[in-house]
């Protein structure tokens, strides 16, 4: 395939517009920062984000390249279909549940990151351990969406995927380094608008192509392949439910979500942003669903793609760019490529800012260098974004399944981090011992369940576990079971340890985490600044 010069020029223009927007936003944020700290401005936008701006950036965060590519891929696969497309509804419900239960306790206490309440309750060392699954989740997410863009550019522009990964990662890192949250938010507006317009423009051309049968007919009838509506076999119902709950609940404990919530002007506004962005997320999946349906309804032998079909060649992960390239005019497919680039950048910058904020605020400032200045924290944040962004780009080179990598990215977050967050916000008197036991036993249980994408065989074969094409598949809802097991361990070990120390059944000399000492209690972050101004001595935080 030759180089598509017009497409390359068009994409370059889009990247230039995005960079210009990011640079303008960074300059604007510096003018508006007034007396606020520079690190807080970069991380939570001075807690005064405009409502519409907050809504756009919250929606764009979840509508990434893996989201739109993965949705089209699952609809196209004859073994899956629409009924297995769980991300749109799952993310929408996740944002609604987050708005109902998690927004108020987080925003009303003026936390800077999601890790703050965890470190207040369990100490800095436990917080640093819980940073690891969040770090892995953000890096895998960044890598997955970069890989989706690389595959798309290779199809439409005829350039090597590694070039697009390097260029896209460099652009995202540059404008995120310059302006922090404000650069991310304003570029998200440009990217989301472009995504909505360009994908919808492609849909009519794909629907009326001569090689495509009516999608309303192929939804329920076998034509070129199985009906794209899909079906859920009885034996796979537990797996389906497990994956759905994982998307709904496991999508909450991400800094990318709370970064938007904590930047809102008030808890009420933050809740509305969460609700409406859930609706936006659901609506943004419609073009991808239609594209997947078109792909399942197409005789690929009537296109320049030819036979065998993408499914038979093992290229179903690239079905969305294939539809844009082979079923739409070239000038239309270029617009679709811009849409995918917009989706990728809108989520990649969020992941990058998330991991940089967590490392600089919760690891560097609270553990490694407690007397760090604001300037030190800001430069540490930038350096960490550069390092982690480069690592994610490197990982994207080795991504063979977009959807699997995307889905895998939040498993440790769901199994380990979600129960911890629920405990510190809603279950009183959990302590460091319970948290540590939850991390250790929850991680061990998840590891023993195996992971096919990492070629880890299961040690624990749950009910319904079967061997499919040489790979063990767990049909039992083991992800949710692991999450509930972790939650139970945190609560039971916390209350048991407190009981044993209070009744002197265990010597208080063994209380290395100081849970029985009044001066070991954590003071919420929103009270720290006030007490510093009043000259109040603060109790030492236990690690």
């Amino acid at each position: 395939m030759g180089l598509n010069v017009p497409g390359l020029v068009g994409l370059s223009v889009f990247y230039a517009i995005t960079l210009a927007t990011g640079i303008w936003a960074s300059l604007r944020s510096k003018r508006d920062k007034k007396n606020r700290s520079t690190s807080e401005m970069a991380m939570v936008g001075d807690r005064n984000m405009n409502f519409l701006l907050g809504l756009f950036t919250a929606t764009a965060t979840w509508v990434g390249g893996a989201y739109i590519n993965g949705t089209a891929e699952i609809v196209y696969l004859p073994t899956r279909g629409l009924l297995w497309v769980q991300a749109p509804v799952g993310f929408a419900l996740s944002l609604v549940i987050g708005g109902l239960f998690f927004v108020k306790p987080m925003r009303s206490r003026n936390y800077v990151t999601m890790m703050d309440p965890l470190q207040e309750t369990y100490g800095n060392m436990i917080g640093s351990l819980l940073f690891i699954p969040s770090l892995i989740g953000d890096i895998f997410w960044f890598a997955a969406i970069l890989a989706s863009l690389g595959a798309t550019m290779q199809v439409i522009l005829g350039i090597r995927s590694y070039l697009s990964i390097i260029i896209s990662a460099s652009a995202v890192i540059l404008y995120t380094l310059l302006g922090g949250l404000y650069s991310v938010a304003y570029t998200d507006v440009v990217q989301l608008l472009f995504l909505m317009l360009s994908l919808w423009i492609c849909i009519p051309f794909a629907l009326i192509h001569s090689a495509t049968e009516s999608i309303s007919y192929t939804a329920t009838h076998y034509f070129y392949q199985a009906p794209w509506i899909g079906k859920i076999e009885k034996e796979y119902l537990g797996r389906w439910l497990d994956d759905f709950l994982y998307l709904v609940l496991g999508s909450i404990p991400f800094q990318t979500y709370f970064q938007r919530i904590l930047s809102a002007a008030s808890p009420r506004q933050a809740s509305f942003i969460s609700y409406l962005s859930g609706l936006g997320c659901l609506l943004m999946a419609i073009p991808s669903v239609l594209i997947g349906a078109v792909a399942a309804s197409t005789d690929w032998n009537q296109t320049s793609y030819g036979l065998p079909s993408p499914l038979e060649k093992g290229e179903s992960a690239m079905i969305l760019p294939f539809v844009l390239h082979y079923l739409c005019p070239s000038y239309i497919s270029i617009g679709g490529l811009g849409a995918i680039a917009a989706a990728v950048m809108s989520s990649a910058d969020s992941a990058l800012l998330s991991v940089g904020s967590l490392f600089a605020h919760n690891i560097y400032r609270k553990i490694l260098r407690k007397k760090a200045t604001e300037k030190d924290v800001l430069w540490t944040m930038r350096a960490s974004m550069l390092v982690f962004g480069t690592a994610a780009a490197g990982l994207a080179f080795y991504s063979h399944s977009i959807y699997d990598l995307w889905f895998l990215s939040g498993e440790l977050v769901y199994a380990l981090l979600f129960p911890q967050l629920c405990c510190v916000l809603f279950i009183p008197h959990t302590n460091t011992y319970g948290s540590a036991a939850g991390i250790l036993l929850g991680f061990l249980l998840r590891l023993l369940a195996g992971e096919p994408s990492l070629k880890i065989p299961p040690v624990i074969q749950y009910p319904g576990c079967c061997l499919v094409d040489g790979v063990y598949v767990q049909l039992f809802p083991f992800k949710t079971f692991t999450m509930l097991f972790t939650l139970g361990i945190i609560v039971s070990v916390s209350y048991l340890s407190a009981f044993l120390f209070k009744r002197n059944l265990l010597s208080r000399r063994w209380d290395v985490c100081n849970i029985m000492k009044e001066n070991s209690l954590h003071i919420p972050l929103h009270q720290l600044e006030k007490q510093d101004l009043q000259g109040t001595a603060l109790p030492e935080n236990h690690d």
Side-chain angles (χ1 to χ4, degrees):
M1 181 184 297
L3 180 65
N4 188 333
V5 177
L8 191 59
V9 171
L11 191 65
S12 299
V13 171
F14 170 74
Y15 272 61
I17 293 173
T18 303
L19 278 174
T21 303
I23 293 171
W24 170 82
S26 69
L27 295 175
R28 184 180 185 277
S29 67
K30 291 176 182 178
R31 290 197 302 267
D32 295 344
K33 71 181 182 181
K34 299 178 182 179
N35 296 324
R36 300 299 294 176
S37 66
T38 54
S39 64
E40 187 169 308
M41 172 65 77
M43 294 177 190
V44 291
D46 203 22
R47 304 187 193 277
N48 195 30
M49 185 74 71
N50 176 275
F51 178 79
L52 287 177
L53 184 60
L55 177 59
F56 268 94
T57 188
T59 304
T61 296
W62 294 112
V63 184
Y67 181 88
I68 62 174
N69 274 285
T71 298
E73 178 186 356
I74 296 303
V75 174
Y76 169 67
L77 289 173
T79 56
R80 293 291 180 124
L82 180 62
L83 292 178
W84 283 90
V85 178
Q86 301 165 304
V89 177
F91 282 172
L93 286 177
S94 174
L95 290 164
V96 170
I97 292 173
L100 286 172
F101 300 104
F102 290 84
V103 166
K104 185 176 180 180
M106 292 293 291
R107 178 61 185 87
S108 61
R109 297 171 190 172
N110 288 336
Y111 291 127
V112 176
T113 73
M114 174 191 68
M115 291 293 173
D116 286 342
L118 296 169
Q119 287 185 317
E120 284 181 1
T121 305
Y122 302 140
N124 287 336
M125 292 307 297
I126 290 295
S128 65
L129 289 177
L130 292 173
F131 168 73
I132 295 174
S134 183
L135 169 66
I136 294 174
D138 282 328
I139 289 180
F140 276 170
W141 187 19
F142 197 170
I145 52 187
L146 283 177
S148 70
L149 181 60
T152 303
M153 286 191 177
Q154 186 170 353
V155 170
I156 297 180
L157 295 184
I159 64 174
R160 297 289 185 180
S161 61
Y162 70 85
L163 289 176
S164 63
I165 290 172
I166 293 173
I167 294 170
S168 302
S170 299
V172 168
I173 291 171
L174 178 58
Y175 71 73
T176 307
L177 286 177
L178 289 174
L181 183 60
Y182 267 103
S183 285
V184 170
Y186 278 104
T187 53
D188 279 349
V189 174
V190 174
Q191 292 153 358
L192 193 61
L193 289 174
F194 193 83
L195 173 63
M196 288 189 293
L197 292 174
S198 55
L199 270 188
W200 275 112
I201 290 173
C202 295
I203 297 297
F205 292 93
L207 287 171
I208 64 174
H209 195 278
S210 59
T212 302
E213 184 63 31
S214 169
I215 63 173
S216 61
Y217 179 80
T218 57
T220 54
H221 295 80
Y222 191 103
F223 204 75
Y224 298 118
Q225 62 179 55
W228 60 264
I229 198 72
K231 61 180 179 179
I232 304 172
E233 303 287 352
K234 181 187 292 187
E235 61 267 26
Y236 284 94
L237 187 59
R239 177 67 176 270
W240 188 95
L241 181 62
D242 194 25
D243 290 346
F244 185 71
L245 289 175
Y246 157 65
L247 284 171
V248 173
L249 301 178
S251 300
I252 294 174
F254 275 93
Q255 174 63 13
T256 49
Y257 170 64
F258 286 106
Q259 203 138 31
R260 272 73 187 156
I261 298 309
L262 297 173
S263 67
S266 67
R268 179 181 176 84
Q269 186 182 101
S271 295
F272 277 114
I273 287 174
S274 192
Y275 301 146
L276 293 178
S277 63
L279 177 61
C281 226
L282 188 61
L283 295 176
M284 290 300 298
I286 296 176
S288 290
V289 170
L290 293 176
I291 288 173
V294 166
S297 310
T298 297
D299 179 7
W300 290 95
N301 194 35
Q302 297 184 38
T303 70
S304 57
Y305 183 88
L307 292 177
S309 68
L311 175 66
E312 293 169 323
K313 290 176 68 174
E315 296 179 337
S316 59
M318 296 190 290
I319 199 63
L320 189 145
F322 283 160
V323 169
L324 298 179
H325 184 64
Y326 293 104
L327 302 181
C328 298
S330 59
Y331 60 92
I332 295 297
S333 66
I334 292 171
L337 173 61
I340 298 173
V344 166
M345 297 175 76
S346 66
S347 293
D349 54 18
S350 300
L352 191 62
L353 183 63
S354 165
V355 70
S357 299
L358 289 172
F359 181 81
H361 179 73
N362 297 99
I363 303 299
Y364 181 74
R365 175 153 51 191
K366 290 191 171 184
I367 298 177
L368 300 179
R369 194 178 176 192
K370 297 182 179 180
K371 295 183 179 180
T373 64
E374 284 297 323
K375 186 177 181 180
D376 292 337
V377 173
L378 189 60
W379 279 104
T380 300
M381 178 181 173
R382 291 169 176 166
S384 62
M385 286 193 290
L386 182 61
V387 172
F388 295 134
T390 303
L395 184 61
F397 297 149
Y398 302 98
S399 172
H400 300 290
S401 176
I402 295 170
Y403 194 80
D404 284 347
L405 184 57
W406 172 42
F407 212 72
L408 179 63
S409 66
E411 285 224 17
L412 288 179
V413 174
Y414 182 43
L416 303 181
L417 197 50
F418 180 72
Q420 306 274 354
L421 188 62
C422 288
C423 286
V424 297
L425 294 180
F426 308 117
I427 303 178
H429 309 305
T430 55
N431 58 43
T432 310
Y433 298 110
S435 177
I439 294 172
L440 177 62
L441 297 179
F443 177 74
L444 180 62
L445 186 65
R446 176 61 190 90
L447 188 64
L448 293 176
E451 179 51 55
S453 63
L454 298 179
K455 298 182 179 179
I456 300 176
V459 176
I460 298 177
Q461 296 185 14
Y462 290 97
C465 181
C466 58
L467 194 63
V468 179
D469 297 329
V471 177
Y472 283 99
V473 177
Q474 301 275 18
L475 300 181
F476 182 79
F478 70 96
K479 299 185 189 75
T480 301
F481 175 77
T482 305
M483 182 273 292
L484 293 174
F485 174 81
T486 303
L487 181 65
I489 288 295
I490 296 170
V491 175
S492 59
V493 172
S494 293
Y495 281 85
L496 177 62
S497 60
F499 173 80
L500 293 176
F501 283 122
K502 284 179 181 178
R503 296 298 180 90
N504 290 319
L505 297 176
L506 286 177
S507 172
R508 297 198 179 187
R509 291 179 300 175
W510 296 354
D511 182 16
V512 295
C513 295
N514 297 325
I515 66 169
M516 302 306 298
K517 294 184 179 180
E518 292 183 0
N519 64 359
S520 69
L521 294 177
H522 296 279
I523 295 180
L525 287 182
H526 66 282
Q527 296 180 11
L528 291 177
E529 186 175 325
K530 183 184 294 184
Q531 294 196 18
D532 276 335
L533 293 174
Q534 294 174 350
T536 305
L538 300 178
E540 284 190 12
N541 186 17
H542 66 271
D543 292 337

